Amino acid sequence: MNGLTCDALLGGRLAIRQPEKGYRAGIDPVLLAAAVPAGAGQTVLELGCGVGAASLCLGARVPDLRLTGVELQPAYAELARENARANGIALDIVTADLVALPAPLRAQGFDHVIANPPYHLRERGSAAPDPGRETALGEATPLAAWIDTAARRLVPGGRLTLIQRAERLPELLAAIDTRLGSIEILPLAPRVDRPAKLVLLRARKGGRGPFRLHSPLILHEGFRHERDGDSYTMAISAVLRQGAALPWPK
C-alpha cells in the first residue's frame, strides 16, 4: 500500500501506520477501546479491525489480553499485523468477511467482542472515492449482521462494546435480539448543550439487567471552540493521551 503515515496514539505509546489517503483511524477507535471493560487474561475479538487501532489501544491499557481482529480488506489486515509487531502487542489478524468467518474462528468463544461498524448507509450520501475508505465508512454489511456475528462469538456472560453514530441508534437497538441484554447506551456529545454525535453501546450475552440510557459524556470543554488546541475535558484527555479507561457511569 502506497502513501502511508505513522501516527501517534495514546500520547505516543503507540505508533500506527495507516494510509495517507483512505480510511484513517481517528479518536473513535481510541474511545471504543477505552470503553471495553476487559480484564487481564480475557479474550477479545474485534470485528472490522482496520489497521488495528482499537485492539492495540486496548492491548496497551490491559495486560495479557488474547486479541483477535477480523478485517475484510487484505491491505488493511497486513497493516494491522505490522502495527501489532511494531508495537510489541500480540494481535492475531484474520483476513475474512465477518459474515463468513473461517471454521477455526467460528469454533472459538470470546469474553469481549468490539466493533466500530461503518457509519453511513449507502442509500444516503455519496460513496467515498478511495475504495478502502468507502469499505470502512460505507455500510455494505447491515448492522444486524454485525450484531449477529458478535452474539454468536460471545461466551455466556460475554460483553459487546460498539461505537456508532447517534442517528443510527434506533437501527442499532432494533438489531439486538434476546441473546443480548443489560444494554447500556452512553451518548458522546462534542460540547455542553450540543446533541450527541456518537453513542457507545454495551450489552451482555444472556444479560437480564434493565436498559440504561446514560447522560451524555462531554468531549470538549466550553460551549464553543475559542482557542487553538483540542480543548478536550480532563477525562477525555486522559483517555486519548494517557490510555486511561473511559469514565463509564455506575
Side-chain angles (χ1 to χ4, degrees):
M1 181 181 292
N2 296 324
L4 299 178
T5 64
C6 187
D7 301 291
L9 297 180
L10 306 184
R13 291 176 62 186
L14 294 178
I16 301 294
R17 297 176 74 231
Q18 56 183 339
E20 184 176 15
K21 297 180 180 180
Y23 174 71
R24 292 176 56 79
I27 71 167
D28 297 7
V30 184
L31 295 172
L32 171 63
V36 181
Q42 290 190 315
T43 54
V44 181
L45 173 66
E46 182 180 4
L47 301 177
C49 69
V51 299
S55 288
L56 295 175
C57 285
L58 180 56
R61 176 170 64 86
V62 183
D64 301 322
L65 292 176
R66 286 174 285 170
L67 298 164
T68 302
V70 173
E71 173 52 43
L72 175 64
Q73 302 183 81
Y76 283 79
E78 185 54 36
L79 276 175
R81 294 185 186 98
E82 293 176 8
N83 285 331
R85 289 193 294 268
N87 288 281
I89 296 175
L91 172 59
D92 181 30
I93 299 296
V94 178
T95 306
D97 191 327
L98 65 89
V99 300
L101 297 178
L105 194 53
R106 295 199 308 271
Q108 298 180 52
F110 295 84
D111 299 304
H112 297 271
V113 174
I114 69 175
N116 181 10
Y119 286 163
H120 304 291
L121 289 166
R122 264 305 146 245
E123 61 265 28
R124 305 175 191 167
S126 302
D130 179 83
R133 182 176 175 82
E134 172 58 20
T135 300
L137 295 180
E139 179 179 281
T141 302
L143 275 177
W146 290 74
I147 299 294
D148 177 66
T149 298
R152 290 176 183 273
R153 298 280 59 80
L154 285 168
V155 299
R159 292 178 179 269
L160 167 65
T161 306
L162 182 148
I163 192 168
Q164 183 55 252
R165 289 180 64 89
E167 65 191 42
R168 301 194 66 190
L169 180 57
E171 182 186 354
L172 184 59
L173 292 175
I176 296 177
D177 58 32
T178 56
R179 291 173 294 178
L180 297 170
S182 303
I183 300 167
E184 298 183 54
I185 302 296
L186 179 61
L188 302 176
R191 295 184 186 275
V192 174
D193 290 344
R194 298 280 184 89
K197 292 187 177 181
L198 297 172
V199 293
L200 283 161
L201 176 145
R202 280 184 184 175
R204 183 187 290 271
K205 187 168 184 178
R208 296 293 180 264
F211 175 83
R212 300 180 67 191
L213 176 59
H214 296 294
S215 297
L217 181 64
I218 308 301
L219 302 185
H220 295 273
E221 296 176 340
F223 292 91
R224 59 185 180 273
H225 184 75
E226 296 180 336
R227 58 181 173 81
D228 292 339
D230 52 35
S231 72
Y232 289 115
T233 64
M234 289 181 63
I236 297 302
S237 183
V239 168
L240 300 178
R241 309 298 184 223
Q242 302 164 31
L246 195 79
W248 195 273
K250 300 295 185 182

